[in-house]
Amino acid sequence: MHGGDEVVAAPSRPSEPLDWKFSQVFGERTAGEEVQEVDIISAIEFDKTGDHLGTGDCGGRVVLFERTDAKDHGVSRRDLEIMDYPISRHPEFRYKMEFQSHEPEFDYLKSLEIEEKINKIRWCQTANSALFLLSTNDKTIKFWKVQEKKVKKISDMNLDPSKAVGSGSVASSSSSSSPKTCLVNGSSFDGSYNKLSNDFLSPGGLQLLRLPAVVTSQEINLVARCRRVYGHAHDYHINSISNNSDGETFISADDLRINLWNLEINSQSFNIVDVKPANMEDLTEVITSAEFHPTHCNMLAYSSSKGSIRLIDLRQSALCDSHTKLFEEPEAPGSRSFFTEIIASISDIKFSKDGRYVLSRDYMTLKLWDINMDSGPVATFQVHEYLRPKLCDLYENDSIFDKFECCPSGDGLRVATGSYSNLFRVFGCAPGSTESTILEASKIPMRRQVQTPTRPSRPLSSITRVVRRGSETPGVDANGNAFDFTTKLLHLAWHPTENFISCAAANSLYMYYA
């Protein structure tokens, strides 16, 4: 307190590293079990509430899970939090349903096979208790509606077969020797048919016959219906789709173009970014990822294979060839090599929940960018620095082209990304945080804390760039084993409101809480 009118706040202490625990696993493999390629998970996404989780796989299927722990109290979790009801249980999910989203296709004009693999899933706004989501493979985007429907059944006829057979009417109809009656058109019927018809049309027989009707039962089934198909708009493979905060539009991006769609219109889209040169020999970079700003419907960001991120404003022009801001880190003098551009390529970008920061993942690092500061990242986290001596081997086995995803926590205090040997990393990005955690996608995460910042972290609002390094781990994993480049954790998602991570290891979906 100074002068009686100014309060000086005590400096906030960085939060302690989270203690991560195993929660659930779906599709766990037994020892020695061979994984089918079609079962490998290729996309993970929470909806905005965190009550639903969707995954896509290489077989074109979408599997949905729903949260169950908040339902045990009879009211929603949000209401319980408002009432300050103590909730000690961590999030739990259960299998909800699955459906076939995409099938393998063949483009006869280009002699090209189109895989059914799901590249991305994005949840849309719910309406009337129905769930809506977008899913895409390399070429086609589909808009799905998932809702509960009461099962409709066909009621049985009230004719009792035993009575009809017992009277001899039905049984004798095929063996009757009564003379046939000829009709005008030359056809004929025998007397047995006439005898059977008379039985049904008699006052007593009329009560035995009733036409079947469709009745609604109390049984409820989940039904997924494809509402719209957005196709024939991309010449190259779709790498991203992203919903707009206006709830009406979304974007889809391939290597050279970004298209803007209206959810209600699948017959046309608007090309808003086109980086294709007049001569393809002049092509120097491609689009790798694109995402809408979480609150400003006119802003979006996209990354490139050169390691840059461009922020564009849709209000500037119909075709956004020029960017509003460009985020890239200058290349260190004398550090250029054959692999420089390959490892600089950004595989994924994500906005923070408040839209202030952009998280990007390249092969070696995880970077956090302030959209108000384009001079460089505010924080850099080393993920694969120990692999630098092995870049030649990684190039030979194509591992250097693996595309790892990243995700920020809902509170913006931490970020996460995957690695090899089914490991994933969690870093603290709050001011002063030294958190760097390695977890393994298994029932026993084998957690290891690493606190090796090169210098004290500074607030994210600071103009000076912060560089924080993770563990300079040699070529061994958390168990001391050599890294396995065939087992890689590419896809993971952070719950929007809680410290809860879901990640994919081949065909298994692991969940952890803290």
Side-chain angles (χ1 to χ4, degrees):
M1 186 85 64
H2 296 275
D5 58 354
E6 184 180 355
V7 178
V8 178
S12 59
R13 297 179 58 187
S15 57
E16 292 294 322
L18 294 177
D19 182 20
W20 291 94
K21 296 181 177 66
F22 169 78
S23 173
Q24 291 172 275
V25 60
F26 294 91
E28 185 181 19
R29 301 192 306 276
T30 58
E33 180 184 353
E34 185 178 351
V35 179
Q36 301 296 323
E37 186 177 355
V38 293
D39 296 328
I40 295 176
I41 297 172
S42 57
I44 302 178
E45 185 79 7
F46 282 104
D47 70 349
K48 286 186 177 181
T49 65
D51 292 337
H52 294 92
L53 173 68
T55 67
D57 62 25
C58 294
R61 295 177 298 252
V62 171
V63 183
L64 305 183
F65 302 87
E66 66 177 349
R67 188 169 177 174
T68 60
D69 59 294
K71 295 183 178 180
D72 296 342
H73 303 286
V75 293
S76 70
R77 189 178 184 88
R78 189 174 298 171
D79 293 337
L80 292 174
E81 291 171 350
I82 294 174
M83 296 185 297
D84 200 22
Y85 190 93
I87 302 174
S88 57
R89 297 180 60 182
H90 59 83
E92 292 180 1
F93 286 80
R94 71 179 178 190
Y95 170 85
K96 186 179 180 75
M97 74 168 301
E98 70 177 82
F99 57 90
Q100 189 71 34
S101 173
H102 288 72
E103 301 280 356
E105 300 176 41
F106 190 82
D107 187 334
Y108 293 97
L109 292 177
K110 298 181 179 180
S111 296
L112 181 70
E113 289 185 1
I114 302 172
E115 292 183 339
E116 65 270 37
K117 172 189 170 186
I118 304 296
N119 291 341
K120 295 289 180 182
I121 292 175
R122 289 293 180 265
W123 291 90
C124 304
Q125 294 181 356
T126 60
N128 299 327
S129 71
L131 302 175
F132 296 90
L133 60 115
L134 290 164
S135 64
T136 184
N137 64 353
D138 286 339
K139 294 290 184 180
T140 306
I141 307 162
K142 294 185 178 182
F143 183 47
W144 293 90
K145 179 180 182 181
V146 178
Q147 65 179 153
E148 294 181 343
K149 282 194 172 184
K150 289 187 175 181
V151 178
K152 292 183 177 181
K153 296 182 176 180
I154 305 297
S155 65
D156 296 330
M157 295 173 60
N158 67 343
L159 170 65
D160 187 350
S162 61
K163 289 185 179 180
V165 174
S167 64
S169 301
V170 176
S172 61
S173 61
S174 60
S175 59
S176 174
S177 58
S178 57
K180 295 182 179 180
T181 306
C182 293
L183 302 179
V184 177
N185 61 3
S187 61
S188 64
F189 67 92
D190 56 27
S192 61
Y193 175 82
N194 190 37
K195 183 177 185 296
L196 181 61
S197 300
N198 290 337
D199 287 344
F200 282 136
L201 295 176
S202 63
L206 187 61
Q207 301 302 317
L208 299 176
L209 179 64
R210 182 182 66 194
L211 292 176
V214 178
V215 295
T216 303
S217 69
Q218 297 303 312
E219 184 183 346
I220 294 178
N221 271 1
L222 278 167
V223 178
R225 187 164 64 91
C226 184
R227 294 286 302 275
R228 288 176 192 86
V229 177
Y230 312 89
H232 312 294
H234 288 278
D235 292 330
Y236 304 92
H237 291 177
I238 298 172
N239 55 49
S240 304
I241 53 174
S242 179
N243 306 79
N244 198 343
S245 58
D246 63 9
E248 297 180 356
T249 57
F250 71 93
I251 56 170
S252 60
D254 64 21
D255 292 342
L256 299 179
R257 294 186 178 93
I258 300 178
N259 293 332
L260 177 67
W261 300 83
N262 188 300
L263 283 168
E264 301 296 325
I265 303 170
N266 61 353
S267 58
Q268 65 176 350
S269 63
F270 298 95
N271 179 225
I272 56 175
V273 174
D274 190 347
V275 300
K276 184 179 181 180
N279 184 358
M280 286 296 284
E281 291 182 358
D282 299 330
L283 182 67
T284 58
E285 62 181 333
V286 296
I287 299 168
T288 57
S289 183
E291 180 156 309
F292 260 120
H293 191 280
T295 56
H296 298 319
C297 61
N298 56 287
M299 291 176 61
L300 64 93
Y302 69 91
S303 60
S304 81
S305 57
K306 276 193 170 180
S308 61
I309 301 172
R310 290 173 172 83
L311 193 68
I312 62 175
D313 191 335
L314 297 177
R315 297 172 298 184
Q316 287 187 337
S317 63
L319 185 62
C320 302
D321 287 331
S322 60
H323 50 266
T324 305
K325 285 190 176 180
L326 174 66
F327 305 93
E328 60 183 355
E329 193 168 22
E331 188 178 311
S335 63
R336 188 166 185 82
S337 70
F338 172 77
F339 304 108
T340 299
E341 285 196 9
I342 300 176
I343 63 176
S345 178
I346 294 175
S347 56
D348 190 29
I349 59 171
K350 293 285 190 343
F351 274 100
S352 60
K353 193 173 183 179
D354 60 2
R356 172 69 184 273
Y357 300 97
V358 176
L359 183 66
S360 69
R361 171 68 202 267
D362 55 49
Y363 189 73
M364 305 297 285
T365 64
L366 192 62
K367 293 186 176 77
L368 191 67
W369 308 78
D370 186 337
I371 64 171
N372 296 328
M373 189 181 85
D374 54 8
S375 59
V378 294
T380 300
F381 308 97
Q382 301 293 346
V383 182
H384 283 162
E385 185 62 29
Y386 61 90
L387 294 177
R388 195 172 291 275
K390 302 181 179 182
L391 291 180
C392 286
D393 296 334
L394 295 167
Y395 180 78
E396 290 295 327
N397 61 23
D398 286 342
S399 294
I400 200 170
F401 301 106
D402 288 335
K403 301 183 184 304
F404 293 93
E405 293 181 0
C406 59
C407 58
S409 62
D411 56 15
L413 298 179
R414 294 171 180 85
V415 294
T417 190
S419 182
Y420 293 106
S421 296
N422 284 340
L423 299 180
F424 64 99
R425 306 286 298 271
V426 178
F427 298 97
C429 56
S433 174
T434 58
E435 181 176 356
S436 177
T437 306
I438 300 178
L439 291 161
E440 182 183 17
S442 67
K443 286 188 174 180
I444 306 174
M446 298 298 291
R447 193 174 62 258
R448 177 170 59 178
Q449 301 295 336
V450 182
Q451 302 190 20
T452 55
T454 56
R455 53 178 174 266
S457 304
R458 305 179 184 180
L460 295 179
S461 57
S462 169
I463 296 179
T464 307
R465 193 187 324 158
V466 174
V467 178
R468 186 182 312 125
R469 299 190 180 277
S471 63
E472 302 299 333
T473 314
V476 294
D477 61 17
N479 301 321
N481 302 319
F483 272 96
D484 182 3
F485 298 111
T486 61
T487 57
K488 42 201 161 192
L489 199 150
L490 302 176
H491 312 285
L492 75 171
W494 200 304
H495 192 281
T497 59
E498 303 195 34
N499 288 321
F500 186 88
I501 292 178
S502 179
C503 56
N507 67 326
S508 302
L509 183 67
Y510 287 90
M511 300 181 183
Y512 300 92
Y513 70 97

